[in-house]
């Protein structure tokens, strides 16, 4: 059995209890060494064989899983954040399906959620944005033609951009075509790690500030007026509003 585990954003206490139990009892652990905090593996059982997938290709990862499966060993495949977000996860599951190897997926706290937490912000503010776009800039992975950043930006929704902090100049220039130039932006480097850094600005100055802070990778860029202070109060907790659980008062 292979267990894909979302290891969370960095702080080892942000691993789920279920994920931790599996890691601590696994015979074989394959972890994404470029991003997963090694402390997540601190209580791995003695004798567990640990592989760093940053040094392996897909065939090698699958070979390790198959070999372990043949020997009846338990495999923990540890991804950063949640494997469903830029995890190169599907291709592994499909290969295991082909091989008839059973697997399960344990979700994790994605870095985009940890980022909201460390910023102490909410992505979905009434009257500001009720939509969150998770995307990236085109790198070696091409963007589908209907998902160009400039097109996504037309909605002025809350936008979270992965894997792209090294392209902030270009990114902010594109976003300025659709968002107001003074739209607030935050860049969070290594959210929840001990060396976490937060840089705030707007679409005119964020690239410069991030350069000054020396941040070139492992950061998320979040854009939108959810970072500001104007919004409507929610209906859910409006005292005049009746919900399924609570009767509103008439004023
Ligand atoms: N599956 C992961 C994302 C993997 S892609 C998740 O759910 O978070 C790797 C990108 O995620 C990085 O380039 C960076 O943009 C972002 N990232 C991962 N961990 C991060 C963290 N702790 N803080 C900020 N960004 C992070």
């Amino acid at each position: 059995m292979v267990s894909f585990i979302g290891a969370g954003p960095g702080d080892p206490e942000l691993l789920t209890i279920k994920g931790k139990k599996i890691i601590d009892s696994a015979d074989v652990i394959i972890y994404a060494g470029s991003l997963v905090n090694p402390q997540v593996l601190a209580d791995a059982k003695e004798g567990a064989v640990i592989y760093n997938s940053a040094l392996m290709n897909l065939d090698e990862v699958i070979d390790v899983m198959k070999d372990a499966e043949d020997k009846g060993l338990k495999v923990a495949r540890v991804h950063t954040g949640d494997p469903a977000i830029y995890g190169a996860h599907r291709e592994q599951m499909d290969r295991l399906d082909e091989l008839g190897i059973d697997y399960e997926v344990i979700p994790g706290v994605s870095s985009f959620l940890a980022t909201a937490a460390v910023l102490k912000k909410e992505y979905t503010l009434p009257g500001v944005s009720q939509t969150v776009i998770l995307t990236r800039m085109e790198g070696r992975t091409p963007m589908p033609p209907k998902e160009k950043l400039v097109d996504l930006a037309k909605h002025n929704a809350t936008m979270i951009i992965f894997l792209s902090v090294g392209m902030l100049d270009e990114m902010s220039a594109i976003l300025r075509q659709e968002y107001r130039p003074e739209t607030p932006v935050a860049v969070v480097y290594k959210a929840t790690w001990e060396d976490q850094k937060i840089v705030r600005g707007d679409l005119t100055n964020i690239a410069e500030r991030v350069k000054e802070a020396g941040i070139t990778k492992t950061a998320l860029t979040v854009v939108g007026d959810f970072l500001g202070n104007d919004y409507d109060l929610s209906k859910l907790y409006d005292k005049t509003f009746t919900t399924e659980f609570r009767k509103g008062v008439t004023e």
Side-chain angles (χ1 to χ4, degrees), residues 8-10 35 79-87 109-112 114-115 161-164 188-193 217-221:
L35 279 170
H79 283 265
T80 177
D82 185 281
I85 307 288
Y86 303 112
V109 178
S110 178
S111 59
F112 82 91
T115 289
I161 303 154
F162 284 75
L163 293 158
S164 310
V188 178
Y189 168 77
K190 290 181 98 177
T192 81
W193 290 68
K217 58 177 188 159
T218 327
L220 284 180
T221 307

Side-chain angles (χ1 to χ4, degrees), residues 12-233:
E13 295 199 339
L14 290 175
L15 175 63
T16 62
I17 295 170
K18 197 164 196 163
K20 175 157 178 64
K21 281 185 182 162
I22 296 170
I23 290 173
D24 293 354
S25 63
D27 305 296
V28 175
I29 299 173
I30 309 169
Y31 78 110
S34 53
L35 279 170
V36 171
N37 188 337
Q39 286 176 39
V40 166
L41 313 180
D43 300 320
K45 79 176 182 192
E46 225 185 292
V49 184
I50 299 180
Y51 296 88
N52 177 357
S53 63
L55 311 169
M56 300 160 80
N57 62 36
L58 177 62
D59 289 339
E60 289 166 336
V61 169
I62 300 298
D63 283 348
V64 169
M65 290 176 176
K66 186 175 179 317
D67 185 56
E69 181 72 10
D70 289 345
K71 294 180 178 140
L73 301 176
K74 222 170 113 176
V75 180
R77 171 66 169 115
V78 184
H79 283 265
T80 177
D82 185 281
I85 307 288
Y86 303 112
H89 179 211
R90 173 67 188 270
E91 59 191 24
Q92 300 173 69
M93 293 190 285
D94 284 352
R95 292 282 285 271
L96 295 183
D97 281 338
E98 279 166 26
L99 293 166
I101 296 176
D102 198 17
Y103 56 86
E104 64 180 347
V105 185
I106 314 298
V109 178
S110 178
S111 59
F112 82 91
L113 296 171
T115 289
V118 303
L119 290 170
K120 302 197 175 87
K121 296 291 184 217
E122 176 178 352
Y123 290 139
T124 51
L125 290 179
V128 176
S129 175
Q130 292 288 290
T131 303
V132 182
I133 295 176
L134 306 182
T135 190
R136 61 172 299 169
M137 295 278 284
E138 185 158 292
R140 275 175 301 176
T141 306
M143 290 303 282
K146 292 193 171 177
E147 295 179 24
K148 297 288 177 218
L149 191 61
V150 69
D151 296 326
L152 301 177
K154 288 194 166 68
H155 305 285
N156 277 209
T158 296
M159 178 114 66
I160 300 167
I161 303 154
F162 284 75
L163 293 158
S164 310
V165 76
M167 292 179 258
L168 255 183
D169 275 321
E170 191 190 342
M171 189 198 300
S172 17
I174 295 171
L175 293 174
R176 281 198 305 268
Q177 295 177 38
E178 295 293 342
Y179 287 83
R180 287 173 295 112
E182 62 278 13
T183 302
V185 183
V187 167
V188 178
Y189 168 77
K190 290 181 98 177
T192 81
W193 290 68
E194 275 169 15
D195 50 348
Q196 165 187 303
K197 278 187 212 162
I198 298 177
V199 179
R200 293 181 171 85
D202 63 27
L203 286 173
T204 66
N205 57 27
I206 192 74
E208 199 52 43
R209 292 185 184 180
V210 165
K211 243 175 257 164
E212 278 163 21
I215 299 170
T216 56
K217 58 177 188 159
T218 327
L220 284 180
T221 307
V222 294
V223 182
D225 284 319
F226 80 94
L227 289 163
N229 295 319
D230 293 331
Y231 62 95
D232 301 334
L233 293 178

